[in-house]
Every structure is written in C-alpha cells, then in structure tokens.
Amino acid sequence: MNNPIVTRYKNNPILTKKDVPYTVSTVHNAGVVKYNDEYIMLFRSHLHNGRSIIGIAKSKDGYDFKVGAEPFLTPSSDSVFGEYEEYGVEDVRISQIDNEFLLTYSAYSRHGVRIGLARTRDFVTVERISLITQSDLRNVVIFPQKINGQYVRLDRPHSEISKWSIWISYSPDLIHWGNSKVIIKPETYHWDEMKIGPGATPIKTDKGWLNIYHGVFNTMSGAVYRLGVALHDLDDPSIIIGVSDQWILQPEDPWEITGYVSNVVFTCGAVPEEDGSVKIYWGGADSVMCVGSANMNDLIDLCLKNPRGAVPHV
Ligand code: BMA
C-alpha cells in the first residue's frame, strides 16, 4: 500500500510571490483559520533585504486565495516591540479563543529570536499584546481554548546541550508564562532526530489534541524538514497519548525540493472541516504555499496504532 496520508491539492502551489501586489521574494509558512465563512491566511514573505514580513490572503474555498494590497504585520516602530522586531517577523500561528484571534510570531533582532503575541478581532486591525518569551524560542503555538482555567502553549526553546524539543507552558493571563516542561523529544536515527517543533495550532478531537509538528533529519545534502503527528490528552495536554512513528508529509514536489531553502515542508496552520478531513497548509522550500487534505481519523490512528517504539509493520 502506498496511499498518501496527505493528499496534495492538484493545483499546488496555491500562493507564490507572483500573487503578491508588493515586492517580495517568497510566500511561505502561513497560519490559516476560518473566519466568517472565509479562510484567512497570514503568510510570511522575505523582502529583498532578507528580512521577513507577514501578508494576508483570503479565500472562499481554502484553495484559491487573493492577497491583500498591504502587508498585515511588519516590524513595529514602537520602542519596545521595535527593538525586538528589528530583523523581521516570521511564521505566524493563529488561535481563535472566543471571538478573538491570538497571533504568535517569531520576532527577530540583534538580541536573538523571541515570540511576540498580538490579537485581532477582524483581521483588519491588529494589536500587539506582549513579547511572551525571552530569546531564543521559535514556533510557539497557543491551544485554541483555555484548559483548566489556563492558557496553554507549545514551545520550542533552543538549547546548546540537548536536541531542540517540544515543551509546554501555562499562563493565567497570556502575559506571564511558566510551569514549563519538555513533552516530546526527537528520536535518535529517526526522521525527526535532529530537532522538532510545534507546527499547526492543535486541533481538538474526541480522542485528544491533534498536534501536527515538524521534524528535521540531517543528510549529506543538508536538513530535510518533514511533518509528523502527535496526540495529546484533552484535559492535560502535557500527557502524550502517542506520537506517530512515521512522517505524514515530506518534500516531494519540485517546489518543495528546490527553493529558497531546499527540502522543506513546514506548517503553521491546519483547518479541520466538518466532514472529518483537515486541510493542512505548508510552506514549500521556504518559497511557496501549498495545501493538502488528510482524514483526521487516519492521523489519530497513526498516533494510536503505530506510535514510536512499536515494532515496524512488515
Ligand atoms: C526553520 C525556520 C522556518 C523555516 C525552516 C526551514 O528553522 O526558520 O521558518 O521554514 O527553518 O528553513
């Protein structure tokens, strides 16, 4: 059997720099959410100075997106945010809690990379809330509801002595975060052995929180970024029910294999649909945006029936 877990959309890539009405060299790593019967995509673009900004695109069907005339989020000119966003803003994740959308993004500066938190209610105006980590952290994703009265997020701190792993942290107010602990580590000589990090905003299912994450393997021709899945306990997402032994998506199309950074599929967003499918959005080779569809139960089964450590199926 060689059926793909994720079925690629036939007209990938769905968004490229040619679709953007201002000058950029890439379109990638977008957070995506459904709002008012529209799919909203907040995508990253490199400018021609190598720094990144965030643009906005909208779609009725989740495939055919139209880009807004102006960027949505660019480095702040405010004194505090401005200092930490000097080198650009990257890789937005979107979490809807009640009637507002929380946006986490990587803020780059001479001080390293840390996470900014902003909010919007309408995807027209955006308000920065706080810088919610020190450096160096990337890929912070907030769960789309409070759990046991607290906000919960997945983190990916950098380390000099340990492989970069997925952590969890908690907050009463979105500003102060703590009780951090590591919950998933890369596995040696496995597709994600070099480093892992949170990807899409976790999706609530009746079996647990579905976490579509990225994992990296180093080869003689450089790093390969793939996507995998993990299932977290609904009431206590620090408890891992299972991590799929196999990846769900790897670079295969030409625009995933070759680009600004070759051999990369990288997700910041996935949209669950009422028919039990999920649209997964990913950046291909840090250059273009792609989408594919998977069956949510298939992804859950991978975590439950073929977790890491299980004897490989013959
Ligand atoms: C990671 C991040 C992502 C990027 C990936 C591949 O470290 O910078 O934004 O997609 O590398 O270049």
Side-chain angles (χ1 to χ4, degrees):
M1 278 238 299
N2 207 11
N3 290 337
I5 302 287
V6 178
T7 303
R8 285 172 163 84
Y9 178 53
K10 61 180 187 313
N11 292 332
N12 275 345
I14 54 168
L15 212 62
T16 75
K17 65 179 179 181
K18 294 193 191 115
D19 301 308
V20 181
Y22 43 91
T23 304
V24 295
S25 63
T26 62
V27 168
H28 62 302
N29 296 4
V32 185
V33 77
K34 246 186 188 171
Y35 164 63
N36 279 352
D37 292 330
E38 273 191 319
Y39 295 77
I40 309 279
M41 174 187 280
L42 297 180
F43 62 88
R44 169 179 170 196
S45 288
H46 283 103
L47 300 174
H48 285 191
N49 62 5
R51 297 181 179 174
S52 293
I53 60 170
I54 305 299
I56 185 165
K58 296 182 181 175
S59 167
K60 288 284 177 208
D61 63 2
Y63 297 108
D64 187 17
F65 281 86
K66 187 161 172 23
V67 178
E70 303 291 336
F72 183 72
L73 194 75
T74 56
S76 171
S77 51
D78 165 275
S79 58
V80 176
F81 289 100
E83 178 167 359
Y84 292 99
E85 297 178 7
E86 181 191 7
Y87 294 171
V89 287
E90 305 186 358
D91 297 5
V92 175
R93 274 77 171 190
I94 309 169
S95 299
Q96 180 174 8
I97 300 192
D98 302 326
N99 60 355
E100 68 178 18
F101 297 89
L102 299 171
L103 314 178
T104 46
Y105 58 94
S106 302
Y108 272 83
S109 74
R110 66 191 66 198
H111 308 300
V113 54
R114 62 191 303 198
I115 299 297
L117 173 64
R119 69 156 67 93
T120 182
R121 288 201 162 84
D122 52 12
F123 291 97
V124 177
T125 56
V126 56
E127 173 203 358
R128 282 170 170 82
I129 300 175
S130 184
L131 290 153
I132 56 169
T133 69
Q134 299 173 314
S135 63
D136 281 318
L137 270 95
R138 291 180 47 88
N139 304 314
V140 165
V141 183
I142 298 177
F143 282 77
Q145 70 173 58
K146 282 178 150 183
I147 302 171
N148 298 320
Q150 291 196 296
Y151 295 98
V152 185
R153 75 183 195 200
L154 299 176
D155 290 339
R156 212 290 303 282
H158 298 191
S159 168
E160 284 182 9
I161 61 166
S162 174
K163 288 180 179 175
W164 299 3
S165 307
I166 297 178
W167 290 57
I168 196 164
S169 302
Y170 304 86
S171 173
D173 58 7
L174 290 173
I175 314 282
H176 306 92
W177 293 85
N179 286 334
S180 305
K181 64 176 177 180
V182 63
I183 53 171
I184 312 177
K185 291 193 77 78
E187 187 161 301
T188 300
Y189 213 71
H190 197 250
W191 65 269
D192 63 358
E193 80 158 359
M194 185 184 173
K195 57 177 177 172
I196 58 174
T201 305
I203 296 167
K204 192 175 191 179
T205 76
D206 52 8
K207 301 275 171 38
W209 290 101
L210 187 67
N211 167 17
I212 306 173
Y213 70 98
H214 71 265
V216 187
F217 189 89
N218 205 16
T219 73
M220 292 302 282
S221 53
V224 180
Y225 278 73
R226 299 184 174 96
L227 302 183
V229 276
L231 199 63
H232 301 234
D233 186 83
L234 282 179
D235 290 330
D236 179 357
S238 74
I239 297 173
I240 304 300
I241 300 170
V243 181
S244 167
D245 188 58
Q246 66 184 80
W247 68 71
I248 61 161
L249 191 77
Q250 69 161 350
E252 283 180 11
D253 272 338
W255 45 84
E256 297 162 350
I257 290 171
T258 309
Y260 188 87
V261 181
S262 296
N263 287 316
V264 175
V265 292
F266 192 95
T267 188
C268 295
V271 176
E273 303 288 5
E274 277 168 13
D275 65 358
S277 68
V278 53
K279 285 191 181 69
I280 304 175
Y281 293 85
W282 64 89
D286 285 7
S287 301
V288 298
M289 275 307 297
C290 304
V291 64
S293 178
N295 181 307
M296 209 104 75
N297 283 332
D298 290 349
L299 300 181
I300 292 168
D301 278 356
L302 284 173
C303 302
L304 295 177
K305 297 186 182 157
N306 189 20
R308 290 168 170 194
V311 179
H313 296 290
V314 197

